[in-house]
Amino acid sequence: MKRLLKYFNVYVFSGSIFLIILFLNACKQTDKTSEEISNVQIDLDIYRFDREFAAASPGSIPDLKSKYPYLFPSQFPDSIWIAKLTDTIQVELSDEVEKAFGDFEEETNDLESLFQHITYYFPKFKTPKVVTVTSDVRYNDRVILADTLLMLGLDNYLGADHHFYKSIQRYIAAGLDKQYLTSDVASAIAKKVLKYPRNRSFLSRMVYYGKELYIKDKVLPSISDAQKIGYTLEEMEWSMNNEEQIWRYFVEKELLYSTDAKLDRRFLDPAPFSKFQLELDSESPGRLGRYMGWQIVKAFMEKNNLTLKQLLNLPADEIFKKSNYKPRK
């Protein structure tokens, strides 16, 4: 018996040493990757049009039009822009953005890090010129990425409880906070490298959004998972605590391979809550299908040694089958 215990202890000790070695090797690889990313050279130009317009006079409008022609549609005369300089709402928008962002230094650092990570994983990516604007709180267009131009409507990031957002539904206003700015930019970029699935199954669309969130895992390693998916901390905790029940519902109701378009509205599209058609609905956050797709993709990548670009080209069904996904309990 003593000899058996001796061998058992040696086995456990050896196993522990093996796990420690694996952990240390993983740390070394992570450190090496972080160092390589920090050395990526990018040219990031940020133009504060919102500040320039706020400080403009009628006489400087022609110069602004010359510098930012895409912000001044030709069908509008200069009198429109001159009147806007003193418009009460425009002046208040500019003042509130200035209070919230100031010199934009923190956000500039965050964007620089984001673009370094994106360039590392997608070497052909060209860092866009960034132009900050006020957009009359057009929150659906708060981030616009067009070729080599990225426009950020900063008046859409003043905080969920800002008085500008009182008439906006609470679940939408919750995302109008600057903590989500770089995450929104990453989403815009992810949509450029991801192809929306032709397969109409619920699983395919879940995994599509899961890929988008996994891209954020790689290019935004310093922000929280809640920020990546656009949840509050409480919503993120609810999702994690109920992951097993969510998955059981999807499986038991045979939703994974369903092509019912209503599932998008219930579990994928922005909404105040997910629609299980159960009493717990009001407690749940929206877009839980995206959250579950994320967990499937993460489980797959933990078990398969693939690059990020290789992952993006794989069909959802293959990712799901090879993930051996098991929900946390």
Side-chain angles (χ1 to χ4, degrees):
M1 184 67 178
K2 289 183 179 178
R3 181 177 297 176
L4 180 62
L5 286 173
K6 178 180 178 182
Y7 286 139
F8 177 76
N9 289 333
V10 169
Y11 174 77
V12 171
F13 178 74
S14 300
S16 298
I17 292 295
F18 177 70
L19 290 174
I20 291 171
I21 291 172
L22 282 179
F23 175 76
L24 291 175
N25 285 337
C27 288
K28 286 180 181 178
Q29 183 61 41
T30 301
D31 290 342
K32 180 182 177 183
T33 300
S34 297
E35 183 179 352
E36 290 175 349
I37 291 173
S38 67
N39 290 327
V40 171
Q41 298 297 312
I42 62 168
D43 293 319
L44 176 59
D45 295 316
I46 297 180
Y47 297 87
R48 294 295 308 276
F49 174 79
D50 59 303
R51 267 188 163 183
E52 292 181 54
F53 190 81
S57 65
S60 58
I61 291 295
D63 290 337
L64 284 178
K65 289 177 67 176
S66 176
K67 185 176 180 180
Y68 304 100
Y70 43 86
L71 295 177
F72 294 90
S74 58
Q75 65 267 33
F76 297 115
D78 287 0
S79 58
I80 295 291
W81 312 116
I82 292 172
K84 196 170 184 179
L85 292 175
T86 55
D87 177 77
T88 304
I89 295 176
Q90 177 61 44
V91 170
E92 187 178 4
L93 282 171
S94 298
D95 289 345
E96 293 300 302
V97 165
E98 184 65 26
K99 290 177 188 176
F101 289 97
D103 61 9
F104 208 64
E105 181 178 1
E106 182 178 348
E107 290 74 23
T108 297
N109 293 334
D110 291 342
L111 288 171
E112 183 173 16
S113 174
L114 169 62
F115 290 132
Q116 282 182 312
H117 281 79
I118 291 171
T119 302
Y120 177 81
Y121 289 106
F122 302 96
K124 293 182 180 179
F125 175 80
K126 293 184 178 180
T127 302
K129 177 173 72 173
V130 178
V131 179
T132 62
V133 301
T134 55
S135 65
D136 297 326
V137 193
R138 289 197 292 270
Y139 54 82
N140 286 325
D141 299 316
R142 55 187 178 268
V143 174
I144 297 176
L145 177 60
D147 297 325
T148 58
L149 176 66
L150 175 68
M151 290 195 292
L152 303 178
L154 300 187
D155 51 330
N156 299 289
Y157 293 100
L158 301 178
D161 297 323
H162 196 278
H163 66 270
F164 283 162
Y165 310 149
K166 283 184 179 179
S167 62
I168 298 174
Q169 291 175 286
R170 287 296 86 195
Y171 77 94
I172 295 175
L176 304 183
D177 190 289
K178 64 180 181 179
Q179 67 168 308
Y180 301 116
L181 190 148
T182 51
S183 180
D184 287 348
V185 173
S187 287
I189 294 169
K191 287 176 173 60
K192 297 291 186 181
V193 298
L194 273 175
K195 292 182 179 178
Y196 197 78
R198 293 183 178 179
N199 187 314
R200 295 172 55 242
S201 74
F202 181 49
L203 175 66
S204 290
R205 298 194 295 276
M206 283 172 58
V207 170
Y208 167 82
Y209 288 110
K211 288 178 179 179
E212 176 187 329
L213 287 160
Y214 189 79
I215 289 174
K216 291 186 184 182
D217 285 334
K218 292 299 184 182
V219 302
L220 292 171
S222 299
I223 72 171
S224 69
D225 283 352
Q227 289 169 288
K228 292 170 191 170
I229 195 171
Y231 281 173
T232 63
L233 292 177
E234 291 77 18
E235 288 173 332
M236 193 69 204
E237 185 177 2
W238 192 97
S239 304
M240 294 170 65
N241 290 340
N242 291 276
E243 188 174 317
E244 184 181 20
Q245 288 81 359
I246 299 166
W247 184 245
R248 186 186 303 126
Y249 180 90
F250 285 177
V251 173
E252 290 179 354
K253 297 295 183 179
E254 300 181 346
L255 301 185
L256 297 184
Y257 293 98
S258 171
T259 57
D260 185 355
K262 293 179 182 177
L263 292 173
D264 283 25
R265 294 193 294 273
R266 291 174 63 188
F267 299 113
L268 295 172
D269 295 343
F273 51 82
S274 293
K275 300 173 181 65
F276 297 93
Q277 299 167 347
L278 300 170
E279 289 185 8
L280 59 76
D281 281 10
S282 60
E283 302 173 10
S284 70
R287 295 172 287 120
L288 281 172
R290 300 189 189 197
Y291 171 83
M292 298 304 292
W294 191 11
Q295 308 317 307
I296 291 170
V297 172
K298 286 199 284 190
F300 171 81
M301 290 301 281
E302 286 170 2
K303 298 177 180 68
N304 296 274
N305 185 25
L306 295 178
T307 66
L308 184 57
K309 292 181 73 174
Q310 288 172 324
L311 164 71
L312 303 188
N313 293 322
L314 290 179
D317 197 49
E318 180 178 346
I319 290 172
F320 174 55
K321 289 176 179 177
K322 292 183 179 179
S323 72
N324 294 316
Y325 167 69
K326 298 291 186 296
R328 59 165 60 87
K329 298 181 180 180

